[in-house]
Amino acid sequence: MSKIRSLTKALCLLFAALSVAGPVSAQQVTGTLGSPSATTTIPGNQLPAPQPKFGGVIKDNAVNSTQWWAPRIVPPKSAPNILFIMTDDAGFGVPSTFGGVIPTPTMDRIANAGLRYNRMFSTSLCSPTRAASLTGRNHHSVGFGVIAEQATGYPGYDSVIGVDNATIGRILRDNGYATAWFGKDHNTPTYEASQAGPFSQWPTGMGFDYFYGFVGGDANQWGPNLFRNTTQIYPFEGKPPGEWNLITAMADDAIDWMTRIHQTNPDQPIFLYYVPGASHAPHHPKKEWVDKIHAMHLFDGGYEKLRETIFKNQQKLGVIPKGLELTPWPDDLLTPWDKLTPEAKKLFIRQVEVFAAYVAYNDYEVGRVIQAFEDLGRLDNTLVIYQNGDNGTSGEGGPEGTFNEVAFFNGVAPPVDVQMKFYDVWGTEQTYNHMSAGWAWAFDTPFDWFKQNASRLGGINQNMVVMWPDRIKDKGALREQFVHVIDFVPTFLEATGIPAPEVVDGIKQKPIEGTSFLYTFDARNAKAESQHKTQYFEMMGQWAIYHDGWLMSTKANRAPWQAFLPTNPDPLNNQVFQLYDLSSSWNQSVDIAAQHPDKVTEMRAMFLEEAKKYQVLPLDASVGARVASARPSLTAGRTEYVYTRPMTGLPQGDAPYLLDTSYTITADITVPEGGAEGMIVTSGGRFAGFGMYLLKGKPVFLWNLLDLERVKWEGPTALTPGKHTIEFESKYDGLGVGTMAYNNFSGIGRPADTTFKVDGKVVATKRMEKTIPIILQWDESFDIGSDTITGVNDADYKPPFPLTAKLNKLTIKVDRPKLSPEDVKKFEEALKKVESARE
């Protein structure tokens, strides 16, 4: 009887501690409370769960006392594993599963064992889609109105997922799941990406026990800026070119992690967030996959023919409605295939074959991860979601593609003849490649436009497949309900039986804004009405609003490669408005705005209401200007930087910004007997950057201008043993980034007069007629004393190229241009004229 009373008391104490607001009936306790093997679920309304009161007995002596262990927290019984896969920059017409020509047998496998979804919507851009997917809230609600590299100082755009927006990783982890993130992390603010931290906005700070991947928008898959948790690692060093690749390494690591968890605790469910860099540029597949795709001759007919083929395949598969018509090919934007030169056709086919190989290669590696679940005997109770693309296919390569994507982000488009020099090494470590936007348009079939275009379905209408063998029995079926990326979190919570928390770390949480689509898993709901009724879209001044089958959108007024033009100063109102009834114009082909002006007015008002509710305001149509705009940084407000020890891995967001400004770099070194060589300081790498180094003892400074040109300054002789001072001075001939605040790009990328000195003596002078205007290679770091990943000049050295001289002191001084009152007045007047002309 006393044991029963003790157990009853312990249960009361436990439930009182764990149940801040949730019902006691939600508790599931296993084992004997107080024993080391006892487990419990929690109400989940407060995270972390409060520490339960001690339920044992404490006397003066242990012999008269009773031990009592707090039960381990576990998820509800039968909660599934979750494997959440999302690829990058892939539109509706990419995978074979939805009519594409690129073989994706893994995606086909999931579709045949589960469901296809043809109305899955993204935000039209990377970071925003991922932030929404992880939090269940709209991307502006969680600070990601744009990518992290374009963050501005407004709540909807500051690239900070606030503490009142706990991620699905945090929720599931605190409810007993093992959580891991593999691949791309594009949701850490650029100014918190260094080893100085803080790490609260890294995956491990957002609820994921384990992270293996890269931080930023993309990465060189042959040699990425790779992290395990928060430590940078270099597993590719010493490997022959073309052997090690992150797509395979990531799958290997994911399989190792899930196996380790299973062997350690077979009963613990896992949440695996698997987001590879494929198929974002640079397109870096292994050679055998390029050879496989090349042998299939999928693209020899050109991009218009490809579009027609994909459209016919989609109709045969039934993944699009019958009776659709394709929108016209944009001859004014993309040169028709039959108007291209033979050389351009050859290059473009090479570009797309490498892209297709990247997609197929990645799908194969995803298949290995899924097979690992099956090999562990865990696939039946695993919810697998495989979303094709976090936005539409990218047109950021421009009409002719590029061998170097960094050039695009600086407004430079290398012509075909220049790109042909890289034809034989396309997709290898020698390129940071992207394909012609003509292919991107085709891969968004049956829609049009691209990634970045939030007002066109080609930018936002993805597709996905879902499998859960224990739950989904309507195998191979199609679902056409409206689903948005904010719907993932509520779906995962409903599937696991875990509630959204009200309080996390003592902070009241924002409500989940998505709608669960778990109802679509049941065959009886195959034709049920969409439960997600209203959704806004906005990206860089282009916007749309969906409501109950209607879509009102702004006319696309900018292609993705047109990022450095004067922007629309009033993107809320200065637009051409279009209206579509998606029940009859499924692919946005028939604009009926003229017939329904009242509906347009109603939906414009609805968008503004949503924009106010979800932190979308103020609207900003700028693109490239935001990349170079001021934001928090460890260097913000500083004009002098001093370093006294070697250091590597400082990301661009926290490194001295030497573009569009005057600066001086001074190195005080001591050369040992026998001479010295090696890197003194560098930022960037093979595709854009600078370096100061000793080459066979001679001091060198080099600017790598987008891998198109290298400008080099060199001392005449090797440095003798002893102390030396090397100095590079650049006097910028321009007004700097401040002009962009007035919709004017005249201040950036201007010439500079340079002087190279050794021990106070001028050894070289040059006028640089061109300078890099916006950004260096973002996946390469600022390094002192050696060079990580790739070098700025392969002809001179190979990384890590350690400095064998002693670094005494490195000083960088920056003298940033400032606009005078006269300059400001001039730009303000010019801006007013532009705005008046628009009215």
Side-chain angles (χ1 to χ4, degrees):
M1 197 68 168
S2 61
K3 288 184 177 180
I4 294 175
R5 282 197 297 268
S6 297
L7 179 58
T8 302
K9 179 184 177 183
L11 282 169
C12 290
L13 288 170
L14 175 66
F15 292 164
L18 295 181
S19 302
V20 177
V24 170
S25 59
Q27 304 289 313
Q28 297 174 10
V29 177
T30 63
T32 302
L33 277 173
S35 70
S37 61
T39 67
T40 185
T41 59
I42 59 175
N45 53 303
Q46 177 178 330
L47 299 178
Q51 181 68 18
K53 293 181 180 178
F54 181 70
V57 177
I58 298 179
K59 299 294 185 180
D60 290 347
N61 301 305
V63 69
N64 297 321
S65 303
T66 303
Q67 295 188 51
W68 192 90
W69 292 92
R72 288 185 299 107
I73 295 172
V74 296
K77 188 178 180 180
S78 300
N81 303 296
I82 300 174
L83 172 56
F84 182 19
I85 305 157
M86 183 186 295
T87 62
D88 207 334
D89 285 8
F92 196 96
V94 167
S96 59
T97 318
F98 287 85
V101 301
I102 304 173
T104 51
T106 299
M107 197 176 199
D108 294 346
R109 172 190 176 183
I110 298 171
N112 294 334
L115 303 169
R116 286 177 172 88
Y117 288 75
N118 66 0
R119 277 304 202 201
M120 154 52 60
F121 286 84
S122 69
T123 70
S124 83
L125 204 60
C126 310
S127 297
T129 289
R130 292 154 192 272
S133 300
L134 288 168
T135 64
R137 298 161 178 105
N138 285 294
H139 59 113
H140 293 87
S141 291
V142 292
F144 272 93
V146 285
I147 58 174
E149 294 83 354
Q150 292 177 307
T152 54
Y154 300 102
Y157 299 88
D158 60 11
S159 75
V160 177
I161 297 178
V163 291
D164 53 353
N165 295 295
T167 71
I168 185 64
R170 175 65 192 275
I171 298 169
L172 294 184
R173 187 196 68 186
D174 282 17
N175 278 273
Y177 269 75
T179 58
W181 179 329
F182 293 87
K184 176 174 174 175
D185 165 24
H186 205 187
N187 294 110
T188 297
T190 57
Y191 53 89
E192 293 187 0
S194 80
Q195 294 301 285
F199 298 110
S200 57
Q201 294 279 309
W202 285 57
T204 53
M206 291 193 285
F208 291 85
D209 296 321
Y210 183 77
F211 171 57
Y212 179 91
F214 58 93
V215 179
D218 59 30
N220 180 340
Q221 300 295 302
W222 303 111
N225 55 326
L226 185 63
F227 291 86
R228 176 170 281 117
N229 299 322
T230 58
T231 301
Q232 194 159 13
I233 57 175
Y234 305 92
F236 46 85
E237 284 188 347
K239 303 290 195 302
E243 179 181 290
W244 189 97
N245 189 291
L246 181 56
I247 297 300
T248 295
M250 185 175 126
D252 289 343
D253 209 80
I255 293 168
D256 178 73
W257 177 82
M258 73 169 74
T259 304
R260 185 165 65 251
I261 296 299
H262 178 72
Q263 292 179 167
T264 304
N265 186 4
D267 295 329
Q268 185 177 26
I270 67 175
F271 176 73
L272 201 160
Y273 181 51
Y274 194 87
V275 281
S279 45
H280 195 294
H283 306 146
H284 281 168
K286 287 192 171 183
K287 183 179 183 302
E288 58 262 34
W289 288 95
V290 178
D291 292 342
K292 288 177 185 178
I293 294 296
H294 176 71
M296 298 172 73
H297 295 283
L298 299 172
F299 308 105
D300 293 358
Y303 30 60
E304 294 116 309
K305 182 67 174 177
L306 172 65
R307 192 178 188 224
E308 294 169 5
T309 299
I310 292 173
F311 188 62
K312 289 177 183 177
N313 291 345
Q314 291 169 340
Q315 291 175 317
K316 289 178 185 177
L317 276 175
V319 294
I320 62 174
K322 295 179 180 178
L324 284 188
E325 293 184 7
L326 278 175
T327 54
W329 184 263
D331 289 356
D332 58 331
L333 198 65
L334 297 167
T335 304
W337 190 257
D338 61 7
K339 300 287 179 63
L340 294 173
T341 66
E343 187 179 48
K345 290 180 180 179
K346 180 180 179 181
L347 173 67
F348 292 2
I349 290 172
R350 177 68 170 177
Q351 292 172 351
V352 73
E353 286 181 345
V354 170
F355 170 80
Y358 197 27
V359 171
Y361 169 38
N362 180 64
D363 181 81
Y364 170 81
E365 296 296 344
V366 169
R368 291 179 55 226
V369 175
I370 293 171
Q371 186 59 44
F373 272 91
E374 185 166 25
D375 293 344
L376 292 172
R378 303 187 70 167
L379 190 59
D380 287 347
N381 193 31
T382 296
L383 169 57
V384 180
I385 289 182
Y386 186 164
Q387 179 175 320
N388 170 62
D390 54 0
N391 43 243
T393 317
S394 173
E396 291 164 349
E400 295 184 332
T402 180
F403 75 94
N404 180 6
E405 191 198 21
V406 186
F408 156 74
F409 284 103
N410 282 286
V412 177
V416 168
D417 61 331
V418 172
Q419 295 193 64
M420 283 298 291
K421 298 174 184 177
F422 297 87
Y423 181 88
D424 291 332
V425 294
W426 204 270
T428 72
E429 72 282 355
Q430 297 298 317
T431 60
Y432 216 86
N433 51 304
H434 207 324
M435 63 185 173
S436 163
W439 300 117
W441 191 283
F443 282 129
D444 287 341
T445 304
F447 312 118
D448 55 24
W449 289 86
F450 315 93
K451 166 189 178 180
Q452 295 191 23
N453 296 120
S455 63
R456 298 301 298 180
L457 295 180
I460 58 176
N461 198 148
Q462 314 302 133
N463 47 50
M464 71 174 177
V465 292
V466 178
M467 176 177 72
W468 186 0
D470 278 355
R471 173 69 185 270
I472 297 174
K473 304 302 180 184
D474 194 15
K475 296 181 179 181
L478 178 69
R479 294 292 185 265
E480 301 181 82
Q481 288 87 354
F482 183 101
V483 179
H484 189 269
V485 289
I486 61 173
D487 298 338
F488 284 124
V489 168
T491 303
F492 295 152
L493 295 179
E494 186 177 359
T496 59
I498 293 171
E502 298 168 14
V503 176
V504 177
D505 295 330
I507 297 169
K508 182 177 173 58
Q509 297 292 291
K510 285 184 180 179
I512 297 293
E513 295 164 3
T515 303
S516 171
F517 59 89
L518 196 75
Y519 69 98
T520 66
F521 291 2
D522 298 327
R524 67 177 181 273
N525 293 326
K527 301 297 182 181
E529 288 188 5
S530 301
Q531 292 185 7
H532 191 138
K533 299 293 186 182
T534 304
Q535 182 61 48
Y536 81 89
F537 301 88
E538 190 279 335
M539 192 59 61
M540 295 177 288
Q542 299 185 56
W543 54 270
I545 180 84
Y546 166 87
H547 179 69
D548 237 357
W550 290 89
L551 183 74
M552 195 216 74
S553 58
T554 60
K555 183 178 181 181
N557 54 23
R558 179 190 63 79
W561 57 90
Q562 295 168 334
F564 303 93
L565 301 175
T567 56
N568 183 356
D570 183 15
L572 182 62
N573 302 297
N574 183 32
Q575 301 277 9
V576 174
F577 296 102
Q578 301 173 322
L579 182 68
Y580 302 93
D581 178 356
L582 295 184
S583 65
S584 57
S585 181
W586 196 84
N587 63 340
Q588 215 177 2
S589 56
V590 182
D591 176 15
I592 55 174
Q595 295 94 298
H596 299 274
D598 292 345
K599 190 69 176 178
V600 171
T601 300
E602 173 194 336
M603 295 191 75
R604 284 181 64 183
M606 187 182 297
F607 173 81
L608 184 57
E609 182 180 341
E610 296 291 288
K612 291 177 179 177
K613 186 190 304 183
Y614 297 121
Q615 303 185 159
V616 182
L617 303 178
L619 294 190
D620 184 350
S622 64
V623 185
R626 277 197 267 189
V627 176
S629 64
R631 60 182 56 87
S633 167
L634 301 183
T635 65
R638 296 168 61 188
T639 58
E640 183 172 347
Y641 313 88
V642 178
Y643 309 91
T644 58
R645 292 174 64 95
M647 178 182 75
T648 62
L650 186 64
Q652 296 297 327
D654 284 322
Y657 187 74
L658 302 186
L659 304 182
D660 310 310
T661 186
S662 297
Y663 60 89
T664 303
I665 302 175
T666 306
D668 179 358
I669 64 173
T670 300
V671 176
E673 292 295 331
E677 67 171 6
M679 181 58 65
I680 297 171
V681 60
T682 182
S683 192
R686 177 177 290 131
F687 303 101
F690 68 82
M692 175 187 281
Y693 50 95
L694 301 180
L695 181 64
K696 297 180 180 178
K698 291 183 180 181
V700 171
F701 195 92
L702 182 137
W703 261 109
N704 173 359
L705 302 180
L706 307 174
D707 203 21
L708 291 168
E709 180 183 357
R710 285 171 172 79
V711 185
K712 191 174 184 179
W713 299 255
E714 189 170 10
T717 58
L719 297 181
T720 58
K723 290 190 68 173
H724 293 277
T725 300
I726 305 169
E727 179 183 297
F728 181 82
E729 182 181 22
S730 177
K731 292 184 178 180
Y732 186 64
D733 188 8
L735 292 176
V737 298
T739 65
M740 292 192 289
Y742 302 94
N743 222 347
N744 187 296
F745 289 81
S746 65
I748 63 173
R750 305 294 298 170
D753 291 306
T754 67
T755 304
F756 193 38
K757 299 179 182 178
V758 178
D759 296 327
K761 181 181 178 181
V762 175
V763 296
T765 61
K766 292 179 187 289
R767 179 170 173 84
M768 294 180 68
E769 295 298 337
K770 293 176 285 188
T771 59
I772 296 176
I774 298 290
I775 193 170
L776 300 185
Q777 188 177 343
W778 47 85
D779 70 332
E780 297 263 4
S781 56
F782 177 85
D783 300 327
I784 299 170
S786 65
D787 192 355
T788 55
I789 306 184
T790 67
V792 291
N793 191 21
D794 291 338
D796 282 354
Y797 70 93
K798 301 295 182 187
F801 199 43
L803 179 65
T804 56
K806 180 187 177 185
L807 176 69
N808 302 314
K809 187 178 181 182
L810 176 73
T811 305
I812 299 177
K813 294 182 179 180
V814 178
D815 183 14
R816 208 162 292 287
K818 296 180 178 62
L819 298 182
S820 68
E822 292 77 18
D823 292 328
V824 171
K825 183 178 179 181
K826 179 182 69 174
F827 288 121
E828 285 178 340
E829 290 175 352
L831 189 59
K832 287 178 182 177
K833 288 181 181 179
V834 172
E835 292 176 0
S836 297
R838 289 177 181 269
E839 295 175 356

